[in-house]
């Protein structure tokens, strides 16, 4: 009797501990919604019901009727948790056998209240009572075995990434059901429950709450317990310290044998010292963060297999595939593979310094396209080399230092998950936006370290590629200049010969009509050749062109009429607009753009010309609905000579158009998407605005 009384007291204490542990675990999971997991809410409910059951055991004992009913609710909740764990990778729908097994186990557990009722009403003898207890234990054995079989199938059939997510939850539940199986096997064989086992159930649920809380909140996803060499060597130091404390405590106890006051003073001294250290160090958030990172580094296995990651990284960068042909696309894929992201978006600096889309991997755009990154964000990324976790920025209940820098369009797109800067010698060469993986999680120190290291490596590749492109372009221009020098020399000689022939014809031709026709033809040819020579001579020169007011509407209508017999060209807007430009050069640039639009469009698809003004600049858009171009071609090849999307093109038209517009003080912008079409936009200062600004400048100078 005395032994039974002691175990009853132990049971009360341990079940109170179990109730506290389950309540703390439920609160922990509720406050940390890191990942969108289907088993998170059922885990909270199961922990709450388990805590209630543990409290009922502490109040009424392990064998009361209300305890059995509470245990039924507890077991049903854990069955639901197991079923929802299958849903993390969709196997609750694909595996036909999962749902019937769960329903069958639930039905077996629902028989427990029936047994309680029958036992109360009809167990009038000790034999009948023992029979009902045996039956109840047998049903609970079947439930425990079924739950363990489900957990085995859950973990064995899961993918590698899913195992990392469910590992701790599955371990905690498996330990719980394994203990329950042993408890009821002992009860069945001994024909009555063991008081010792019954008391230890409270401790078991308290222990179970720890991996469940960690697993359901993704706090230790992908982690395995494995002591590092550092911990192995430091363990000896801890043992020495522990031995020292034991020795001091023993000394204090020894003193207490001689004189009670000396031992008491020693004990109080130890308590004061410990309390002082706790007050000084434990409230420090920096210390707690340091201890947490240290524990994760030395007590758990690394999430990544760095050898495999490096091999995959080098394969991705070194081998171009069909869907990742360019280096920029391979850069996005190499970074996305690390975090299992399904897509990546690469931003590169444009000619005006703004970071705009340079390439993407598997990123599907809408018709509106992608905006540029604000200069404030890129400047901060360059200064601090900060990996931005966009879920932190989106969170309304917490302030993040990057919130004021991240644009709305980036946080508004739920696909965007992480922003990674790529720095080379402290210079920002690119920015990567990674898409949200199927099983999103919060990044930790290991993710940040690996992303930054890979970003440095990728930045060096991009910088080297940029230098090689500049060298190749310089070599191409040298070759172009050499060839153009010969061409210009020949054209100059031909122009001189034609001019001489025209002068001789004026003097010696006998037939006036023939002489007249010959003069017209020769002078026209000479004018054309001289005009071509003048245009070729302008390339690369610092001479300024003569800018005159040009009516953009009239110019657009003239272009529409010029190409009307070849392809439908329509004017969509005719806002009054007079710009300051070189009319011949502007018309030549527009001819290039309209001809390119016609070449990329089918015969039934018209080309649209749109003329507008905004008060300072005039704008003319050339729009087609043809094949379009991807971001990589627009950025790296569209305005490069000798590169053309047409099989018979020389690749000089778009480059010539842009250079002529730049010489007039304007700019050319391009918006294009494969399959949607292309919009070329030419902006030039309005004539009135240019005169007003020039007058203001003259007044300031005077």
């Amino acid at each position: 009797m005395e032994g039974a009384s002691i175990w009853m007291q132990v049971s009360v204490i341990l079940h109170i501990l179990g109730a506290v542990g389950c309540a703390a675990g439920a609160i922990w999971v509720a406050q940390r919604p890191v990942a969108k997991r289907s088993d998170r809410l059922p885990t909270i409910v199961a922990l709450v019901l388990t805590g209630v059951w543990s409290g009922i055991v502490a109040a009424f004992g392990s064998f009361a009727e209300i305890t059995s009913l509470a245990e039924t609710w507890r077991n049903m909740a854990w069955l639901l948790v197991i079923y929802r764990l299958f849903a993390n990778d969709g196997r609750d729908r694909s595996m036909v056998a999962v749902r019937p097994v769960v329903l069958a186990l639930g039905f077996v557990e629902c028989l427990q209240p029936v047994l309680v009722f029958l036992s109360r009403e009809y167990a009038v003898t000790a034999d009948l009572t023992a029979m009902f207890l045996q039956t109840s234990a047998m049903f609970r054995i079947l439930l425990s075995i079924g739950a363990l079989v489900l957990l085995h199938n859950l973990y064995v059939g899961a993918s590698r990434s899913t195992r990392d997510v469910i590992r701790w939850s599955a371990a905690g539940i498996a330990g719980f059901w394994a203990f329950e199986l042993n408890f009821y096997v002992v009860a069945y064989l001994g024909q009555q429950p063991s008081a010792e086992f019954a008391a230890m159930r409270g401790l078991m649920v308290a222990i179970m709450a720890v991996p469940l809380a960690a697993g359901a909140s993704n706090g230790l996803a992908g982690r395995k317990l494995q002591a590092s060499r550092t911990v192995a060597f430091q363990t000896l130091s801890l043992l020495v310290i522990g031995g020292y404390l034991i020795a001091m405590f023993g000394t204090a106890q020894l003193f207490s044998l001689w004189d009670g006051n000396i031992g008491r003073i020693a004990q109080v001294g130890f308590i004061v010292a410990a309390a002082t250290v706790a007050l000084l160090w434990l409230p420090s958030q920096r210390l707690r963060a340091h201890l947490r990172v240290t524990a994760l580094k030395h007590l758990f296995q690394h999430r990544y297999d760095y050898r495999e990651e490096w091999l995959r990284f080098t394969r991705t960068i070194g081998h171009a595939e069909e869907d990742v042909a360019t280096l920029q696309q391979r850069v996005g894929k190499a970074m996305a593979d690390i975090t299992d992201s399904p897509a990546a978006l690469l931003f590169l600096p444009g000619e005006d310094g703004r970071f705009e889309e340079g390439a993407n991997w598997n990123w599907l755009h809408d018709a509106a396209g992608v905006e540029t990154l604000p200069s404030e964000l890129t400047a901060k990324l360059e200064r601090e080399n900060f990996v931005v976790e966009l879920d932190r920025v989106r969170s309304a209940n917490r302030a993040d230092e990057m919130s004021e820098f991240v644009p709305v369009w980036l946080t508004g797109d739920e696909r965007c998950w992480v922003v990674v800067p790529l720095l080379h010698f402290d210079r920002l060469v690119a920015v990567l936006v990674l898409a949200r993986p199927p099983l999103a999680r919060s990044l930790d120190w290991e993710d940040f370290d690996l992303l930054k290291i890979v970003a440095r490596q990728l930045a060096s590749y991009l910088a080297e590629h940029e230098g090689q492109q500049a060298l190749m372009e310089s070599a191409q221009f040298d070759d172009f200049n050499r060839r153009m020098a010969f061409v210009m020399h020949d054209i100059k000689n031909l122009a001189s010969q034609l001019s001489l022939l025209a002068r001789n014809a004026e003097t010696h031709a006998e037939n006036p009509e023939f002489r007249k026709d010959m003069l017209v033809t020769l002078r026209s040819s000479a004018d054309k050749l001289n005009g071509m020579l003048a245009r070729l001579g302008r390339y690369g020169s610092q001479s300024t062109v003569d800018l005159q007011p040009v009516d953009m509407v009239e110019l657009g209508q003239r272009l529409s009429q010029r190409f009307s017999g070849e392809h439908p060209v329509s004017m969509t807007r005719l806002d009054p607009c007079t710009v300051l430009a070189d009319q011949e050069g502007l018309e030549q640039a527009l001819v290039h753009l309209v001809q390119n639009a016609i070449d990329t469009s089918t015969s039934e698809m018209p080309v649209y010309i749109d003329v507008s003004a905004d008060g300072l600049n005039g704008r003319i858009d050339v729009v087609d609905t043809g094949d379009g171009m991807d971001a990589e071609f627009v950025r790296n090849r569209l305005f490069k000579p000798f590169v053309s999307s047409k099989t018979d093109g020389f690749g000089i038209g778009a480059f010539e158009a842009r250079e002529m517009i730049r010489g007039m003080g304007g700019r050319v912008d391009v918006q294009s998407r494969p399959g949607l079409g292309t919009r070329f936009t030419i902006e030039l200062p309005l004539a009135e605005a240019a005169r007003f600004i020039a007058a203001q400048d003259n007044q300031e100078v005077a």
Side-chain angles (χ1 to χ4, degrees), residues 351-534:
E351 295 176 352
D352 55 359
R354 295 183 301 174
F355 278 74
E356 55 195 18
E357 180 186 352
N360 71 80
W361 175 69
N362 281 352
W363 198 284
L364 300 179
H365 290 297
D366 53 17
V370 178
E371 311 241 9
T372 59
L373 296 179
S375 57
E376 296 83 2
L377 173 62
T378 55
K380 187 171 181 63
L381 293 176
E382 187 174 52
R383 288 195 308 270
E384 300 183 7
N385 191 19
F386 192 83
V387 177
V388 182
E389 200 171 357
L390 292 176
D391 284 344
R392 293 178 179 268
V393 179
R394 295 188 183 98
S395 180
N397 59 352
R398 62 187 299 177
D400 191 273
E401 58 177 319
M402 299 298 296
S403 301
E404 59 180 306
F405 301 100
V406 178
V408 176
W409 69 263
L410 195 57
T411 55
D413 191 346
E414 288 296 326
R415 294 177 299 175
C416 301
W417 183 48
V418 175
V419 179
V420 184
L422 276 62
L423 274 70
H424 183 63
F425 291 111
D426 296 330
R427 179 178 68 90
L428 188 66
V429 299
V431 177
L432 262 172
V433 177
L434 300 179
R436 186 183 304 278
L439 292 174
R441 55 181 173 78
S442 181
L443 302 180
D444 60 13
W445 62 270
E446 191 176 1
D447 297 305
F448 289 127
D449 287 350
L450 184 57
L451 289 176
K452 289 181 179 180
I453 291 173
V454 174
R456 290 278 186 181
Q457 189 69 25
L458 293 175
S460 66
Y461 290 150
L462 290 174
E464 182 181 357
H465 178 73
E466 183 181 353
Q468 290 178 347
Q469 290 291 104
L471 290 174
M472 291 175 60
E473 183 178 339
S474 176
Q476 288 175 333
F477 268 108
D478 288 341
D479 180 67
F480 179 81
N481 290 333
R482 285 194 298 270
R483 285 187 288 167
M484 286 302 102
F486 290 111
V487 172
M488 292 175 65
H489 181 267
D490 293 339
I491 292 176
K492 183 177 180 181
N493 291 338
L494 180 59
S496 300
Q497 292 174 3
L498 291 174
S499 299
L500 179 60
L501 180 62
R503 288 195 298 270
N504 291 336
E506 288 179 344
T507 305
H508 302 290
E510 298 179 356
N511 190 336
E513 294 297 329
F514 175 78
R515 183 179 62 188
K516 183 178 180 181
D517 293 338
M518 183 184 64
L519 287 173
V520 171
T521 302
L522 291 176
R523 285 175 177 171
S524 176
S525 300
D527 291 340
K528 289 180 179 179
L529 290 173
N530 285 322
M532 182 185 300
L533 185 63

Side-chain angles (χ1 to χ4, degrees), residues 127-179:
D127 292 339
L128 289 175
T129 301
M131 182 191 69
F132 282 116
L133 289 176
Q134 290 284 86
T135 305
S136 176
M138 182 181 63
F139 285 165
R140 290 276 164 75
I141 290 173
L142 292 176
L143 176 66
S144 301
I145 293 174
L148 289 172
V149 170
L150 283 176
L151 286 168
H152 177 267
N153 292 332
L154 166 71
Y155 193 77
V156 171
S159 62
R160 178 182 175 184
S161 59
T162 306
R163 285 185 184 181
D164 290 341
V165 174
I166 67 174
R167 174 180 293 123
W168 288 88
S169 298
I173 300 175
F176 167 75
W177 284 113
F179 186 88

Side-chain angles (χ1 to χ4, degrees), residues 3-302:
S5 176
I6 292 176
W7 279 110
M8 288 179 61
Q9 295 176 6
V10 171
S11 177
V12 171
I13 295 173
L14 293 182
H15 280 87
I16 290 175
L17 177 63
V20 173
C22 290
I27 294 173
W28 175 277
V29 177
Q31 289 182 344
R32 287 165 175 79
V34 178
K36 298 178 180 178
R37 287 179 46 177
S38 58
D39 63 297
R40 182 175 163 272
L41 182 58
T43 300
I44 296 174
V45 174
L47 285 171
V48 171
L49 292 177
T50 304
V52 171
W53 166 82
S54 192
I56 291 175
V57 173
F60 299 99
S62 299
F63 312 113
E65 291 182 358
I66 188 173
T67 302
S68 179
L69 296 176
E71 186 173 348
T72 296
W73 283 105
R74 180 203 70 177
N75 293 343
M76 296 291 287
W78 287 119
L79 283 177
L80 178 61
V81 171
I82 295 175
Y83 177 70
R84 296 313 299 166
L85 282 172
F86 278 97
N88 279 294
D89 55 2
R91 285 184 292 156
D92 58 328
R93 299 177 182 178
S94 60
M95 290 182 63
V96 180
V98 172
R99 192 174 300 174
V101 172
V102 173
L103 293 176
L105 294 176
F107 174 76
V108 170
E109 182 61 29
C110 288
L111 295 177
Q112 293 293 336
V114 177
L115 290 175
V116 171
F117 173 76
L118 294 176
S119 176
R120 185 179 59 184
E121 295 295 329
Y122 301 105
V124 295
T125 65
D127 292 339
L128 289 175
T129 301
M131 182 191 69
F132 282 116
L133 289 176
Q134 290 284 86
T135 305
S136 176
M138 182 181 63
F139 285 165
R140 290 276 164 75
I141 290 173
L142 292 176
L143 176 66
S144 301
I145 293 174
L148 289 172
V149 170
L150 283 176
L151 286 168
H152 177 267
N153 292 332
L154 166 71
Y155 193 77
V156 171
S159 62
R160 178 182 175 184
S161 59
T162 306
R163 285 185 184 181
D164 290 341
V165 174
I166 67 174
R167 174 180 293 123
W168 288 88
S169 298
I173 300 175
F176 167 75
W177 284 113
F179 186 88
E180 290 292 296
L181 176 62
N182 285 276
F183 172 74
Y184 281 107
V185 167
V186 171
Y188 182 81
L189 296 177
Q191 297 185 354
Q192 64 178 0
S194 169
E196 295 84 356
F197 261 98
M200 296 303 294
R201 294 172 83 190
L203 178 62
M204 183 61 209
V205 297
I207 296 174
M208 174 191 65
V210 176
L212 280 170
S217 63
N218 256 11
L220 295 176
R223 302 291 181 178
K224 295 180 182 177
L225 284 172
Q226 183 179 12
S228 67
R229 292 185 178 89
T230 304
V231 170
F233 284 112
Q234 289 180 353
T235 302
L236 180 60
S237 300
L238 294 176
L239 291 175
V240 172
I241 294 172
Y244 170 78
L245 293 176
I246 293 174
M248 294 300 295
F249 180 78
T251 303
Q253 292 297 320
L254 182 61
F255 287 160
S256 67
L257 296 177
W258 294 340
D259 189 346
N261 292 331
I262 297 177
R264 187 168 300 175
I265 291 173
Q267 293 174 4
V268 172
F270 280 123
I271 295 174
V272 170
T276 303
V277 173
L279 289 175
L280 289 176
W281 292 102
L282 291 182
S284 172
Q285 184 177 2
R286 182 177 180 181
L287 176 64
R288 292 198 303 271
H290 174 73
L291 292 176
R292 179 178 180 274
V293 171
T294 302
L296 290 176
K297 283 184 176 180
H298 298 298
L299 291 177
F300 297 95
Q301 185 187 32
H302 295 302

Side-chain angles (χ1 to χ4, degrees), residues 41 172 313 330 572 636 658 670 675:
L41 182 58
F313 175 85
R330 298 199 299 275
T572 56
N636 298 317
R658 188 183 67 170
V670 185

